[in-house]
Amino acid sequence: MALDWTPGRLNSLGFAKPPSETRVVVAMSGGVDSSVVAAQLAEEGYDVVGVTLQLYDHGAALAKKGACCAGRDIHDARRVAEDMGFPHYVLDYENVFKDAVIDEFADSYLGGATPVPCIRCNERVKFKDLLETAKDLDADCMATGHYIQRKMGEHGAELHSAADANRDQSYFLFSTTPAQLEYLRFPLGHLASKAETRALAAKYGLSVADKPDSQDICFVPNGDYASVIEKLRPGAGEPGDIVDMDGNVLGQHSGVIHYTIGQRRGLGVGGLAAPLYVVKLDVDKKHVIVGPKEALATRTIPVREINWLGDAPFDSRDEWQVGIKVRSTRPPASAIIRPLSATEAEVELLTPEEGVSPGQACVFYDENSSRIFGGGWIWRGY
């Protein structure tokens, strides 16, 4: 049922006009979250246009059954649009996705880094090309099913963590620019739990109400990164030595791509008194370097490609006191950021973190509120 609207007031998406005169493109992955967003806005009377991106050939060997934007998901998104009575389009973004996300993922792993392709997908595909498509469709805004909040502050739109900390996706959205944030909407960010989302899906009678959440990277079957990389880059699994921190050979490995910083299991090195962890990957020498757990502790992190969402320019101060996340599942840790330029910085952790790896994101949080100040990429500078 369409919402009543009073002239002179803002509608629920922040526009001073009736929902019926407000066009919103909804990025629909085929999952329950984006389906609920589309259904809710359609029920409120908005001029909804659903768009689903086909990101890869869903029949290819590297795509997994049930992954985001595979064939089944496109079908599910289309059915929601038909049931709720709004138009739906499928756009072929396979080449864009391969060039902007998959190729970098493979090359980063080959370089000994631990990439986060979901961030690059949001940054380079969904919030870039798809957002421009939404503007081409004369949409007033674009809405997604991400669990994050957009709030209006004194200087414009701000990015804030989701109300449900267990569902918060701020780590994956730190690279959203101020201009993109002005155009985007995140209708689920205020919900207290995923159960509320599923209840809404049931209320609207959506066929995806009980659809399981996607757990892995969409183009990686069963979380097996190495097999995908070997398909994309034949010959990538070159063998080499497992060495300790003094360079002593402890064993052999079948390819650096099979290891990540902080890994303990599956090293193939036994008979030692204390457990060993991967502390570094030397791609040039084909060495997997292992050491004790304390060798994983990192206090200083170099960060570049910084996207800053604070009110004052990033390099207008000598340092910023913030909370940071180097992994999506960890709570923010207290840190000091020292800008080196508008897009580079050195981050000093007040308490050392374990398992920090090049290729991961370092996301900045206000320690006194739910606001996200952006973030950057950890690189091989330490």
Side-chain angles (χ1 to χ4, degrees):
M1 184 173 67
L3 296 179
D4 291 333
W5 178 79
T6 304
R9 297 185 62 184
L10 301 180
N11 62 33
S12 64
L13 292 178
F15 298 98
K17 55 184 177 179
S20 60
E21 297 177 12
T22 305
R23 175 169 292 178
V24 52
V25 163
V26 179
M28 301 183 68
S29 68
V32 63
D33 299 325
S34 58
S35 295
V36 165
V37 168
Q40 185 174 49
L41 293 175
E43 187 186 62
E44 290 178 6
Y46 285 96
D47 178 10
V48 174
V49 178
V51 176
T52 300
L53 303 182
Q54 180 168 312
L55 299 178
Y56 49 76
D57 179 0
H58 55 267
L62 60 78
K64 70 171 189 170
K65 182 179 180 181
C68 166
C69 303
R72 179 69 197 181
D73 296 302
I74 292 172
H75 168 79
D76 288 342
R78 182 180 291 119
R79 181 174 175 184
V80 167
E82 289 174 352
D83 290 345
M84 297 302 299
F86 60 83
H88 173 259
Y89 302 96
V90 179
L91 305 181
D92 183 353
Y93 271 53
E94 286 187 32
N95 290 336
V96 172
F97 188 67
K98 181 179 184 300
D99 293 343
V101 180
I102 295 180
D103 284 345
E104 183 186 85
F105 171 83
D107 292 338
S108 293
Y109 250 99
L110 288 176
T114 306
V116 191
C118 298
I119 299 175
R120 291 302 196 192
C121 181
N122 290 326
E123 174 188 320
R124 297 175 174 178
V125 182
K126 293 176 182 175
F127 291 177
K128 182 176 179 286
D129 291 346
L130 177 55
L131 190 146
E132 290 303 317
T133 297
K135 291 180 178 179
D136 289 341
L137 291 170
D138 293 326
D140 294 282
C141 64
M142 186 174 90
T144 80
H146 289 106
Y147 287 88
I148 197 165
Q149 297 188 81
R150 173 190 181 274
K151 298 182 179 182
M152 292 305 297
E154 183 180 350
H155 300 279
E158 299 174 351
L159 201 62
H160 286 254
S161 298
D164 180 5
N166 294 321
R167 304 295 303 179
D168 177 58
Q169 292 176 291
S170 58
Y171 182 84
F172 302 100
L173 297 170
F174 80 85
S175 61
T176 306
T177 67
Q180 292 168 345
L181 195 53
E182 290 292 336
Y183 193 72
L184 290 164
R185 300 294 187 273
F186 308 106
L188 302 184
H190 69 286
L191 298 183
S193 70
K194 182 60 177 271
E196 288 190 41
T197 307
R198 292 197 182 278
L200 286 170
K203 170 188 171 184
Y204 300 132
L206 303 184
S207 58
V208 295
D210 297 318
K211 187 174 181 178
D213 292 336
S214 178
Q215 299 295 325
D216 299 317
I217 295 171
C218 64
F219 58 89
V220 179
N222 306 314
D224 188 355
Y225 305 141
S227 65
V228 170
I229 295 163
E230 286 173 336
K231 285 187 178 75
L232 295 168
R233 302 289 186 269
E238 296 184 13
D241 293 328
I242 300 174
V243 303
D244 64 19
M245 297 179 69
D246 295 320
N248 300 308
V249 177
L250 303 179
Q252 281 71 48
H253 64 77
S254 58
V256 171
I257 60 172
H258 295 278
Y259 300 85
T260 57
I261 304 297
Q263 180 177 333
R264 177 185 173 186
R265 298 181 182 277
L267 300 184
V269 180
L272 299 173
L276 293 175
Y277 298 78
V278 177
V279 298
K280 190 175 181 181
L281 300 172
D282 189 328
V283 176
D284 294 334
K285 294 181 179 179
K286 300 181 180 62
H287 282 177
V288 173
I289 303 165
V290 297
K293 188 175 184 180
E294 54 266 27
L296 287 170
T298 300
R299 184 179 289 276
T300 303
I301 306 172
V303 181
R304 60 185 179 184
E305 293 184 61
I306 289 171
N307 177 57
W308 180 247
L309 296 175
D311 296 330
F314 179 61
D315 52 359
S316 64
R317 290 190 193 175
D318 292 332
E319 61 183 41
W320 299 86
Q321 178 102 26
V322 297
I324 69 147
K325 279 188 182 184
V326 294
R327 286 186 180 171
S328 62
T329 54
R330 294 182 180 177
S334 294
I336 296 172
I337 307 174
R338 296 187 176 90
L340 302 175
S341 71
T343 57
E344 292 184 296
E346 181 180 88
V347 175
E348 179 186 352
L349 289 157
L350 302 190
T351 301
E353 287 263 356
E354 296 177 350
V356 178
S357 173
Q360 293 175 330
C362 180
V363 183
F364 312 149
Y365 295 81
D366 184 356
E367 292 193 300
N368 301 310
S369 74
S370 60
R371 188 175 179 185
I372 295 107
F373 284 140
W377 294 94
I378 300 168
W379 64 289
R380 195 181 307 280
Y382 62 90

